[in-house]
Amino acid sequence: MASAVWGSAPWWGPPPPAPARPLTDIDFCSGAQLQELTQLIQELGVQESWSDGPRPGADLLRAKDFVFSLLGLVHRRDPRFPPQAELLLLRGGIREGSLDLGHAPLGPYARGPHYDAGFTLLVPVFSLDGTGPELQMDQESCHAWLRLPEPVQGTSAREAWRDCLGPPVPCGSDLIQQTQREGISREEQSPAGQPHGHVLEPDPHMCSGKSPSEPARPEWPQQDVTDLGSPAPRKDQGTDVTEAPTESPVPRPPASREAWPTLCPAQVAAWFFATLAAVAHSLAPVPGAPRLVHAARHAGFTTVLLATPGPPRRLLLFDLIPVVSVTGWPVGARSHSWAGPLAPESAAFYLVPGGSTKEQGASCWQLCFARQELALKARVPAPLLQAHAAAQALLRPLVAGTRSAAPYLLRTLLYWACERLPALYLARPENAGACCLGLLDELGRVLEAGALPHYFLGDRKLCAGDSSAGLLGALAQLRGDPARALRAAVEEAKAARKGGGLAGVGGGGH
């Protein structure tokens, strides 16, 4: 009996095979499965949520309050530090790309071996109306000079800052008037930025010593730490503070505008650290409070390490940067269409100590748009933020202890990706793996080219630096097996979540 058929196949046979689907979930470079990479990226985000989540733990809040209170004591010691300063707190230290400070030495700190989580705090020590003649910017770079006339808002700024003055603007510099005020909207204020005047003063016996039970940490290499005239940091269990020398006053210059002295960022950073170190030495330990266990100045900023009481005990790094707050907006700064309308507030930006060339001189500041970047980051789709955080974690061991600008370049590529790629693509969780690899590939191209267009000042470039060649090789090796690197980053994040960083692995010592 002939069997009944359906089409050309017997009815009782297996169904015809489905049409072949293209393999679109494989990374061509490494052969890694994008779905696995996405799962690892999501796991990394879960493990790092203790420090990067929307609700920080009590130990992070206590450490932040300790730092804010320490700045209150700085004002008591030196009235030049403003009593009501709007502080801006950013997640991640400078070595993780929170700010662009050029190619200044950043110190030997590495997340994991030396600390568990990092933060950056912008501390305005001087405020300026950008419409005046005091601020002048270099047309060819992202740098500016702050010139101090005799009277500023009824006070003698030269006299008040005589120990922080630098030479006049170099002759022949191509300068332009810096800011404009009309028609510019300011980014919305960060919830992390808090008025200094609302911070409670610490108890008189707040601690600074290191407990004998604190997990052992590697000793700090000294080659990248600015030796400011004191003996090497102590290796006992007291506070580890690198001292700064007293700067000699600069003679008063003539009154002509061309000869106005400049406010020198290096001198301001030295004054800030010296005052902070004096306050730190006056603190006494108290059980249950954070302990300041290390402080050192690196170029234009101060790095402090705080040990939390726990449990679990953690070492938290804070990069404290004395900055100048400028009201106004740089001429020629671009807007951002992908982010939509931002808060209708007056524009403002910062001047931060940054790397400058010999031609620009030591009195040159660097423009900083940290507040605008914070507002933009709040509008980046969550999967892309996860991909960026994962790329940061993979890049971290490659740039540890160097002056590489790669972490901030990676952050800038995040904003450029939002302008170039469809928002619906970036918002799909399954695309996190592809976005992470794309950011790393873009960073490799930037390092090879040696520069990246500045996101806010489009006619200027961010320089990749001299270490690009070595980093390119390490980045290519990482791209050969991104899954293995992500697994290692997940394990590091798990150790940091438990407290003690990598010092808590293998018996708690290095």
Side-chain angles (χ1 to χ4, degrees):
M1 176 179 177
S3 62
V5 295
W6 183 266
S8 60
W11 67 271
W12 61 80
R21 299 179 60 185
L23 295 177
T24 58
D25 59 346
I26 301 295
D27 174 37
F28 183 86
C29 178
S30 64
Q33 295 187 10
L34 296 181
Q35 182 179 4
E36 179 188 8
L37 298 182
T38 296
Q39 292 173 348
L40 289 171
I41 290 172
Q42 293 171 348
E43 173 66 13
L44 180 63
V46 171
Q47 296 300 330
E48 290 190 339
S49 61
W50 71 270
S51 63
D52 296 330
R55 296 181 180 178
D59 52 352
L60 301 182
L61 295 176
R62 283 194 296 266
K64 181 190 70 174
D65 291 341
F66 180 88
V67 173
F68 285 4
S69 301
L70 192 65
L71 296 177
L73 294 180
V74 170
H75 166 69
R76 285 186 176 183
R77 189 175 186 90
D78 192 330
R80 285 183 298 180
F81 187 84
Q84 298 287 337
E86 186 181 60
L87 308 177
L88 185 63
L89 182 65
L90 307 174
R91 291 191 179 99
I94 295 175
R95 299 150 200 86
E96 300 171 65
S98 62
L99 290 180
D100 174 30
L101 294 186
H103 305 283
L106 303 179
Y109 315 93
R111 181 172 169 179
H114 299 137
Y115 64 96
D116 300 308
F119 302 88
T120 301
L121 186 63
L122 275 66
V123 185
V125 297
F126 197 90
S127 297
L128 181 70
D129 185 348
T131 59
E134 297 83 12
L135 191 62
Q136 296 291 341
M137 192 175 98
D138 186 357
Q139 285 184 322
E140 303 299 328
S141 71
C142 306
H143 295 87
W145 291 267
L146 178 55
R147 307 187 300 183
L148 293 183
E150 187 62 35
V152 174
Q153 297 180 354
T155 62
S156 177
R158 287 188 196 174
E159 184 66 22
W161 294 94
R162 63 184 181 276
D163 56 341
C164 296
L165 296 182
V169 176
C171 296
S173 297
D174 193 7
L175 303 177
I176 59 173
Q177 184 65 31
Q178 171 61 23
T179 60
Q180 58 187 8
R181 303 190 66 174
E182 294 78 8
I184 303 294
S185 63
R186 183 182 179 180
E187 308 295 342
E188 58 189 12
Q189 181 174 348
S190 161
Q194 301 197 13
H196 181 206
H198 296 344
V199 179
L200 298 177
E201 296 289 335
D203 295 333
H205 50 278
M206 285 203 105
C207 56
S208 61
K210 188 171 184 177
S211 169
S213 60
E214 188 66 29
R217 297 278 173 154
E219 295 298 334
W220 303 108
Q222 292 300 309
Q223 63 271 18
D224 288 336
V225 179
T226 304
D227 186 0
L228 305 179
S230 71
R234 295 174 296 183
K235 298 181 181 180
D236 59 14
Q237 295 176 359
T239 302
D240 179 14
V241 178
T242 307
E243 293 287 357
T246 303
E247 302 291 341
S248 58
V250 176
R252 294 183 56 164
S256 63
R257 177 178 299 185
E258 290 73 14
W260 283 355
T262 55
L263 188 65
C264 178
Q267 302 278 23
V268 171
W271 158 78
F272 179 77
F273 174 76
T275 309
L276 189 71
V279 170
H281 278 308
S282 68
L283 301 178
V286 60
R291 295 182 300 279
L292 194 157
V293 297
H294 175 83
R297 180 168 75 93
H298 305 281
F301 63 96
T302 294
T303 297
V304 300
L305 285 175
L306 299 182
T308 64
R313 293 187 176 183
R314 298 188 174 104
L315 280 183
L316 305 179
L317 179 144
F318 286 83
D319 289 322
L320 310 180
I321 309 178
V323 302
V324 176
S325 177
V326 183
T327 301
W329 192 248
V331 172
R334 63 193 299 272
S335 58
H336 315 285
S337 57
W338 68 270
L342 299 173
E345 301 176 0
S346 60
F349 60 100
Y350 296 105
L351 301 179
V352 300
S356 56
T357 64
K358 293 182 180 180
E359 292 77 10
Q360 293 166 335
S363 296
C364 199
W365 296 77
Q366 186 155 312
L367 273 69
C368 172
F369 300 89
R371 188 174 297 280
Q372 286 73 23
E373 291 188 43
L374 196 63
L376 290 175
K377 191 175 179 181
R379 314 229 175 161
V380 176
L384 181 58
L385 284 178
Q386 288 184 330
H388 173 257
Q392 274 188 319
L394 299 181
L395 187 64
R396 192 180 301 137
L398 306 184
V399 299
T402 71
R403 301 187 183 188
S404 175
Y408 184 77
L409 296 175
L410 184 68
R411 185 186 183 99
T412 304
L413 289 171
L414 175 72
Y415 308 132
W416 284 119
C418 291
E419 290 203 359
R420 184 177 66 253
L421 298 173
L424 292 178
Y425 170 81
L426 299 176
R428 294 179 66 90
E430 61 269 24
N431 292 334
C435 289
C436 177
L437 297 180
L439 288 172
L440 293 175
D441 291 339
E442 282 291 297
L443 179 61
R445 284 187 279 271
V446 169
L447 295 176
E448 188 174 5
L452 174 69
H454 195 287
Y455 189 71
F456 295 92
L457 303 172
D459 57 339
R460 299 177 180 98
K461 303 285 187 180
L462 296 173
C463 182
D466 298 332
S467 60
S468 300
L471 183 57
L472 264 174
L475 192 61
Q477 185 176 2
L478 182 151
R479 275 294 279 117
D481 193 355
R484 181 172 60 87
L486 279 172
R487 294 188 196 100
V490 170
E491 293 303 318
E492 179 183 335
K494 288 181 179 179
R497 189 183 186 94
K498 295 177 181 177
L502 297 184
V505 178
H510 270 11

